[in-house]
Amino acid sequence: MRYIDIRSDTVTQPTQEMREAMFKAEVGDDVYDEDPTMKKLEKYAAEVVGKEDALFVPSGTFGNQLSIFTHCERGNEVILDDSCHIVVHEVGAASVIAGVQLRTINSDKEVMAPQDIKNRIRKGEDDLHFPSTGLICLENAHSNGRVVSLENMKEISETAHEKGIPVHLDGARVFNAATYLNVDPKEITQYCDSVMFCLSKGLCAPVGSLLAGSKDFIQKAKKKRKLMGGGLRQAGFLAAAGLIALEKMRFRLKEDHENARYLGERLNEIPEISVNLDDIHINMVFFRINKDINFREMVSFFLEKGIKINPPENGELRFVTNYWVSKKDVDYIVETMKEYLKK
Amino acid sequence: MRYIDIRSDTVTQPTQEMREAMFKAEVGDDVYDEDPTMKKLEKYAAEVVGKEDALFVPSGTFGNQLSIFTHCERGNEVILDDSCHIVVHEVGAASVIAGVQLRTINSDKEVMAPQDIKNRIRKGEDDLHFPSTGLICLENAHSNGRVVSLENMKEISETAHEKGIPVHLDGARVFNAATYLNVDPKEITQYCDSVMFCLSKGLCAPVGSLLAGSKDFIQKAKKKRKLMGGGLRQAGFLAAAGLIALEKMRFRLKEDHENARYLGERLNEIPEISVNLDDIHINMVFFRINKDINFREMVSFFLEKGIKINPPENGELRFVTNYWVSKKDVDYIVETMKEYLKK
Amino acid sequence: MRYIDIRSDTVTQPTQEMREAMFKAEVGDDVYDEDPTMKKLEKYAAEVVGKEDALFVPSGTFGNQLSIFTHCERGNEVILDDSCHIVVHEVGAASVIAGVQLRTINSDKEVMAPQDIKNRIRKGEDDLHFPSTGLICLENAHSNGRVVSLENMKEISETAHEKGIPVHLDGARVFNAATYLNVDPKEITQYCDSVMFCLSKGLCAPVGSLLAGSKDFIQKAKKKRKLMGGGLRQAGFLAAAGLIALEKMRFRLKEDHENARYLGERLNEIPEISVNLDDIHINMVFFRINKDINFREMVSFFLEKGIKINPPENGELRFVTNYWVSKKDVDYIVETMKEYLKK
Amino acid sequence: MRYIDIRSDTVTQPTQEMREAMFKAEVGDDVYDEDPTMKKLEKYAAEVVGKEDALFVPSGTFGNQLSIFTHCERGNEVILDDSCHIVVHEVGAASVIAGVQLRTINSDKEVMAPQDIKNRIRKGEDDLHFPSTGLICLENAHSNGRVVSLENMKEISETAHEKGIPVHLDGARVFNAATYLNVDPKEITQYCDSVMFCLSKGLCAPVGSLLAGSKDFIQKAKKKRKLMGGGLRQAGFLAAAGLIALEKMRFRLKEDHENARYLGERLNEIPEISVNLDDIHINMVFFRINKDINFREMVSFFLEKGIKINPPENGELRFVTNYWVSKKDVDYIVETMKEYLKK
Ligand SMILES: [Ca+2]
Ligand SMILES: [Ca+2]
Ligand SMILES: [Ca+2]
Ligand SMILES: [Ca+2]
Ligand SMILES: [Ca+2]
Ligand SMILES: [Ca+2]
């Protein structure tokens, strides 16, 4: 049975073209720096985001944590939004691996005010009691489904660099952000010193993310990647799929965004449902159902109809479109929702 | 020359009585558990805050960090106010020693809303992406000079305990809080599982703080105190002064509070000065001068007049009263301020 | 050009059968626990080493470090041989990720004497100054090319378990050890509480290792794997190749061992070369050349002849046989060596 | 009742002169850098060991760990003897606070062979798999009671410095070493970049140790001391006693050594006792009793006679002389031993 899976874009299966590329991939021992396909991927990835060099890592969490570990000294303070992925969904790793102190900001719709950041920046040499701010982390697109403006990124970047503090971008969905802003990804990544982005979400590759930055940064990160157990051997298979993700799939994300908007608007027509249409920037639709629902039952109902959905978090449901979800599928999802609510 | 020192209550000199007690102190090797004066202090300290046991530590920072280290597993999340001492003034130690992730809350006047805490509590078993909340830290009196209400502490304590999470109180100035609330310290400390309080601030002892909690907690903490280098030898000298701090000095803090209020009111009469009188709960007066001031020059001017003050932080000046500052000294401070502003 | 690569068994290319299995692999999101091929691999892997459960990890280093991180509390002591992979080749990771103190033993041929281990085991409750021994790590086959006896493992295991201390086996090449000892791998792994073994070395899979242990241990490890950034998405591709590695390739290692012995004996016939034949237990040949050699030149010479070799470490060369190195290749390697030495 | 306490030199009570100096000590807030007595102590301490600067710390463990934390980056390797205090008696702190990997050497009588150290030094830039050696730690006098020769220290120091690696000396009893070698302490400390020495052992001060090194090193250490909770307030009381320890008491250690030797020789005359006389370099006598002894009973017997002794470790007893143990006391100890063995 074919399922329509709208739980996340991480569930995306690779395309047939990816499978073929993997089948034929030329591979070597990447710990020996001898995997030609991986080298090609890393080179191209660096170009795409306008950085000197890039490094393959097994996951987005790995890339973010490796970046913090490489930028910071232990005991440094890292300023970031209280709801970002690094704070909420990475198991507290920054306190274990990099050993840094997170200094979180509560911000409206997760857009940090540059002034709030400025107020929190500290230099250890100023006061015996202060840790030094070692890094500022941004996330764009944010996992709340919204895209942060270039202006906001620019201002934060300038604030940081004035104080000599680097900026890392959690760009797990940076190509969704670029698509929404209708700009080259480099327009976004120019405001960060390092960026992590994922091949495995909307881009459909099976496994892997990239960390990009300066030559020096990536060289240091490479050693720490080994320490963290991320030195892979014949990784060219994953790179082969990743190349297609980067060379082709990132250019079709607009379709997912249009489907998400269409899904949001159609759901919003249902009386019991309120969709925050303003928040549909990328491929995510967040909404509430104003009715008493047994969500366990609802998830089962959808599953029987061939649709995989997640239960709500804090009362809010999230449907995510991707390559494998067509406009026709969206119609079917909406019909299924109507049917369920009529029950 | 005798100085009036109102920079902080940490500058307090010990009393003559303390010096005499130290001179005559019976001491032993406290690592061997053989210092009789230390034993007496720890026993009495535990009683004062209503806990099973207590442990001497070299400083307030040491006590707070030891508590976090003892309560938490590495990688746990600790919920606390964004402006509290542990976040702002302990050099990022929690990320180094305990290895925990701080999860800070921005709160009005540093009084955390129980609901904000509730929203942030997480249980690692619920989601593969979540660290577990290991501890909630309160601070009372807060270093903003205000005392948190018993109601607030009670509510937070209940919220925490419902989820099986311990509460630590940074009670560096817990006796100032008790004095302000006009309650026995135990009324405050009943809402925490562990409490750190300082002997060396308003209580005038030269060195040291205490960490109190359950027998089991203190036993574990004792080992970790050794690890952190806090196992002292003939520490009974410090304990001798500490006993006087606890047995006598804590009962006279009302005087410091009255002097602070008097100082605040008198300063507020000066046209250029605005004192936030509502915030004078304990021995601290925060105020602003609405005039262009060369603060370096101002600090020098006061010093020449025999008064030690600190320059402002974020535009705000803080004057702190203590045992060595009389009401007459307050008058002199106010006159000096008037004189300076007239220049 | 086809190269004979005898630098390591990590350089092994996957077989055509592996490529085909990857091409057809049924995959799902493994973070959601929905990758059927990965589930099959982990289930089979657990069976092979006689443990309740197993977990895929991106590398051997990842698996060893995850195991230490899961078994130990921070600050624990880990007893292990001074020359083992965890000490020498994992970038000091145990001090960063698990935060443990390594307590190394110098042993003859890297076979730790049970009595030496016994002498170093410590219980923190016995003395305020002592950390607690949290884990004992063995390595079999050792990267010195030798296999440790079952008797030695048994004795160490008993010593450890008497004191309630778990044993982890770095079994990167555990199937080489089983092949040498001519026993089922379970005969070896019965003496450890957890074992890590690699798919990507002699077994020819492109990427990945497995960590196996009790159900409870693996459940805890799964969360910590996420923390370390090892939660992969459609990892079934790697699992598909891994299944062939485990189901087929591990049964042919004898061939590599025979080729290694043949290589060792033939090299030893060359007057300038002394091979320690006693140490050829698996697929590794260590030898010295009693002649003044420019090793850079030598490596180039071999490369031109189509053979990849590493320069010596501490004067010792290591040639490693694998699936892609035939007996005929061995003859060619030996002839090339003779040719080089004649120059 | 007055006890003769020969369990350790940590149990030493301060002298009457120290009590008087403490009574009259001029003190200030040392976190504000305003304690005149502390400043005097730190200045003098630096001079005594020939370093640019020195810093007071609450204990020897604190000083050693602070030194490792200041010298090393997290993940560095530290080379040191397997039986030294840092490995055996500091609760595994180096893995928690500095987060370094200990690389221990088994050496004859705890004198590390320079060649053994050389073999273990690693530079991370040489190999992706290697951590970098960040520090070499020596201990002199060693807690085995022996003094390491200047020649050995010189050779190790040169080996380290050739590779750009600093050397830390755990000089808890460095003045005992200087006394034994009959040299100025600077003759010993010239071979290390930092040295920790204790005021509270043979020197009789109640609490505290010093860490000395370059100006830059001490400045960094000062911040990290704050992080570790070692910023004390009116610490001048401890400094006052410490000054007497350094100015006077260190010059009388010869007496303790002579008493130890006398004790060793007299004990060795007892048939059942074998003292390793060669190992009596300082104030420690190690010996075995060749008779079946109930050590609990023996400790009680001695206690009743007014002598405090420890039970044996690994079959070996240790008696330690100090300022409060006279030659006459030694005679009494020996008589008591004879009496006990006759029973
Ligand atoms: Ca995917
Ligand atoms: Ca004080
Ligand atoms: Ca605040
Ligand atoms: Ca391979
Ligand atoms: Ca002493
Ligand atoms: Ca030894």
Side-chain angles (χ1 to χ4, degrees), chain B residues 159-173:
Chain B
T159 300
H161 292 158
E162 264 166 35
K163 303 272 184 171
I165 297 165
V167 175
H168 170 72
L169 174 63
D170 177 349
R173 292 182 183 89

PDB file of all heavy atoms in Angstrom, chain B residues 159-173:
ATOM      1  N   THR B 159       4.877  22.536  41.444  1.00  0.00           N
ATOM      2  CA  THR B 159       4.994  22.203  40.010  1.00  0.00           C
ATOM      3  C   THR B 159       6.155  21.252  39.771  1.00  0.00           C
ATOM      4  O   THR B 159       6.040  20.256  39.054  1.00  0.00           O
ATOM      5  CB  THR B 159       5.229  23.501  39.194  1.00  0.00           C
ATOM      6  OG1 THR B 159       4.119  24.366  39.399  1.00  0.00           O
ATOM      7  CG2 THR B 159       5.384  23.202  37.716  1.00  0.00           C
ATOM      8  N   ALA B 160       7.276  21.572  40.388  1.00  0.00           N
ATOM      9  CA  ALA B 160       8.470  20.746  40.209  1.00  0.00           C
ATOM     10  C   ALA B 160       8.275  19.349  40.788  1.00  0.00           C
ATOM     11  O   ALA B 160       8.548  18.336  40.130  1.00  0.00           O
ATOM     12  CB  ALA B 160       9.674  21.427  40.867  1.00  0.00           C
ATOM     13  N   HIS B 161       7.802  19.304  42.015  1.00  0.00           N
ATOM     14  CA  HIS B 161       7.706  18.018  42.705  1.00  0.00           C
ATOM     15  C   HIS B 161       6.662  17.098  42.081  1.00  0.00           C
ATOM     16  O   HIS B 161       6.819  15.873  42.112  1.00  0.00           O
ATOM     17  CB  HIS B 161       7.467  18.247  44.198  1.00  0.00           C
ATOM     18  CG  HIS B 161       8.658  18.849  44.882  1.00  0.00           C
ATOM     19  ND1 HIS B 161       8.584  19.540  46.058  1.00  0.00           N
ATOM     20  CD2 HIS B 161       9.969  18.863  44.534  1.00  0.00           C
ATOM     21  CE1 HIS B 161       9.800  19.956  46.411  1.00  0.00           C
ATOM     22  NE2 HIS B 161      10.645  19.561  45.489  1.00  0.00           N
ATOM     23  N   GLU B 162       5.622  17.691  41.520  1.00  0.00           N
ATOM     24  CA  GLU B 162       4.644  16.872  40.782  1.00  0.00           C
ATOM     25  C   GLU B 162       5.323  16.067  39.686  1.00  0.00           C
ATOM     26  O   GLU B 162       4.907  14.956  39.357  1.00  0.00           O
ATOM     27  CB  GLU B 162       3.611  17.777  40.111  1.00  0.00           C
ATOM     28  CG  GLU B 162       2.343  17.963  40.910  1.00  0.00           C
ATOM     29  CD  GLU B 162       1.529  19.122  40.367  1.00  0.00           C
ATOM     30  OE1 GLU B 162       1.539  19.308  39.119  1.00  0.00           O
ATOM     31  OE2 GLU B 162       0.918  19.852  41.159  1.00  0.00           O
ATOM     32  N   LYS B 163       6.349  16.663  39.090  1.00  0.00           N
ATOM     33  CA  LYS B 163       7.044  15.996  37.994  1.00  0.00           C
ATOM     34  C   LYS B 163       8.293  15.279  38.493  1.00  0.00           C
ATOM     35  O   LYS B 163       9.117  14.814  37.692  1.00  0.00           O
ATOM     36  CB  LYS B 163       7.470  17.041  36.946  1.00  0.00           C
ATOM     37  CG  LYS B 163       6.321  17.855  36.390  1.00  0.00           C
ATOM     38  CD  LYS B 163       5.715  17.157  35.188  1.00  0.00           C
ATOM     39  CE  LYS B 163       4.623  18.034  34.572  1.00  0.00           C
ATOM     40  NZ  LYS B 163       4.167  17.482  33.294  1.00  0.00           N
ATOM     41  N   GLY B 164       8.487  15.268  39.822  1.00  0.00           N
ATOM     42  CA  GLY B 164       9.643  14.564  40.370  1.00  0.00           C
ATOM     43  C   GLY B 164      10.959  15.285  40.166  1.00  0.00           C
ATOM     44  O   GLY B 164      12.019  14.663  40.129  1.00  0.00           O
ATOM     45  N   ILE B 165      10.877  16.596  40.042  1.00  0.00           N
ATOM     46  CA  ILE B 165      12.092  17.374  39.804  1.00  0.00           C
ATOM     47  C   ILE B 165      12.477  18.144  41.058  1.00  0.00           C
ATOM     48  O   ILE B 165      11.636  18.816  41.652  1.00  0.00           O
ATOM     49  CB  ILE B 165      11.863  18.351  38.628  1.00  0.00           C
ATOM     50  CG1 ILE B 165      11.583  17.549  37.361  1.00  0.00           C
ATOM     51  CG2 ILE B 165      13.058  19.272  38.433  1.00  0.00           C
ATOM     52  CD1 ILE B 165      11.010  18.371  36.246  1.00  0.00           C
ATOM     53  N   PRO B 166      13.734  18.059  41.491  1.00  0.00           N
ATOM     54  CA  PRO B 166      14.144  18.778  42.701  1.00  0.00           C
ATOM     55  C   PRO B 166      14.304  20.280  42.448  1.00  0.00           C
ATOM     56  O   PRO B 166      14.452  20.724  41.314  1.00  0.00           O
ATOM     57  CB  PRO B 166      15.499  18.148  43.043  1.00  0.00           C
ATOM     58  CG  PRO B 166      16.024  17.620  41.763  1.00  0.00           C
ATOM     59  CD  PRO B 166      14.825  17.243  40.926  1.00  0.00           C
ATOM     60  N   VAL B 167      14.264  21.022  43.549  1.00  0.00           N
ATOM     61  CA  VAL B 167      14.405  22.479  43.507  1.00  0.00           C
ATOM     62  C   VAL B 167      15.617  22.880  44.344  1.00  0.00           C
ATOM     63  O   VAL B 167      15.753  22.450  45.492  1.00  0.00           O
ATOM     64  CB  VAL B 167      13.137  23.160  44.075  1.00  0.00           C
ATOM     65  CG1 VAL B 167      13.332  24.673  44.151  1.00  0.00           C
ATOM     66  CG2 VAL B 167      11.921  22.823  43.224  1.00  0.00           C
ATOM     67  N   HIS B 168      16.483  23.677  43.753  1.00  0.00           N
ATOM     68  CA  HIS B 168      17.619  24.229  44.501  1.00  0.00           C
ATOM     69  C   HIS B 168      17.405  25.721  44.696  1.00  0.00           C
ATOM     70  O   HIS B 168      16.984  26.419  43.775  1.00  0.00           O
ATOM     71  CB  HIS B 168      18.934  24.000  43.752  1.00  0.00           C
ATOM     72  CG  HIS B 168      20.095  24.743  44.360  1.00  0.00           C
ATOM     73  ND1 HIS B 168      20.661  24.378  45.562  1.00  0.00           N
ATOM     74  CD2 HIS B 168      20.766  25.865  43.959  1.00  0.00           C
ATOM     75  CE1 HIS B 168      21.645  25.223  45.865  1.00  0.00           C
ATOM     76  NE2 HIS B 168      21.723  26.136  44.910  1.00  0.00           N
ATOM     77  N   LEU B 169      17.709  26.179  45.897  1.00  0.00           N
ATOM     78  CA  LEU B 169      17.598  27.607  46.191  1.00  0.00           C
ATOM     79  C   LEU B 169      18.980  28.219  46.342  1.00  0.00           C
ATOM     80  O   LEU B 169      19.760  27.807  47.204  1.00  0.00           O
ATOM     81  CB  LEU B 169      16.793  27.813  47.481  1.00  0.00           C
ATOM     82  CG  LEU B 169      16.719  29.259  47.987  1.00  0.00           C
ATOM     83  CD1 LEU B 169      16.002  30.162  46.980  1.00  0.00           C
ATOM     84  CD2 LEU B 169      16.024  29.318  49.342  1.00  0.00           C
ATOM     85  N   ASP B 170      19.274  29.182  45.473  1.00  0.00           N
ATOM     86  CA  ASP B 170      20.449  30.019  45.689  1.00  0.00           C
ATOM     87  C   ASP B 170      20.042  31.037  46.746  1.00  0.00           C
ATOM     88  O   ASP B 170      19.422  32.052  46.454  1.00  0.00           O
ATOM     89  CB  ASP B 170      20.851  30.702  44.383  1.00  0.00           C
ATOM     90  CG  ASP B 170      22.029  31.662  44.569  1.00  0.00           C
ATOM     91  OD1 ASP B 170      22.392  31.962  45.733  1.00  0.00           O
ATOM     92  OD2 ASP B 170      22.584  32.118  43.557  1.00  0.00           O
ATOM     93  N   GLY B 171      20.376  30.706  47.984  1.00  0.00           N
ATOM     94  CA  GLY B 171      19.973  31.545  49.109  1.00  0.00           C
ATOM     95  C   GLY B 171      21.166  32.314  49.657  1.00  0.00           C
ATOM     96  O   GLY B 171      21.279  32.469  50.880  1.00  0.00           O
ATOM     97  N   ALA B 172      22.009  32.785  48.754  1.00  0.00           N
ATOM     98  CA  ALA B 172      23.184  33.568  49.176  1.00  0.00           C
ATOM     99  C   ALA B 172      22.765  34.586  50.238  1.00  0.00           C
ATOM    100  O   ALA B 172      23.465  34.816  51.220  1.00  0.00           O
ATOM    101  CB  ALA B 172      23.804  34.270  47.977  1.00  0.00           C
ATOM    102  N   ARG B 173      21.588  35.180  50.024  1.00  0.00           N
ATOM    103  CA  ARG B 173      21.061  36.154  50.989  1.00  0.00           C
ATOM    104  C   ARG B 173      19.699  35.699  51.517  1.00  0.00           C
ATOM    105  O   ARG B 173      18.766  36.490  51.618  1.00  0.00           O
ATOM    106  CB  ARG B 173      20.964  37.531  50.320  1.00  0.00           C
ATOM    107  CG  ARG B 173      22.318  38.161  49.996  1.00  0.00           C
ATOM    108  CD  ARG B 173      22.191  39.535  49.391  1.00  0.00           C
ATOM    109  NE  ARG B 173      23.506  40.075  49.019  1.00  0.00           N
ATOM    110  CZ  ARG B 173      24.088  39.870  47.824  1.00  0.00           C
ATOM    111  NH1 ARG B 173      23.475  39.145  46.902  1.00  0.00           N
ATOM    112  NH2 ARG B 173      25.282  40.405  47.584  1.00  0.00           N
TER     113      ARG B 173
END
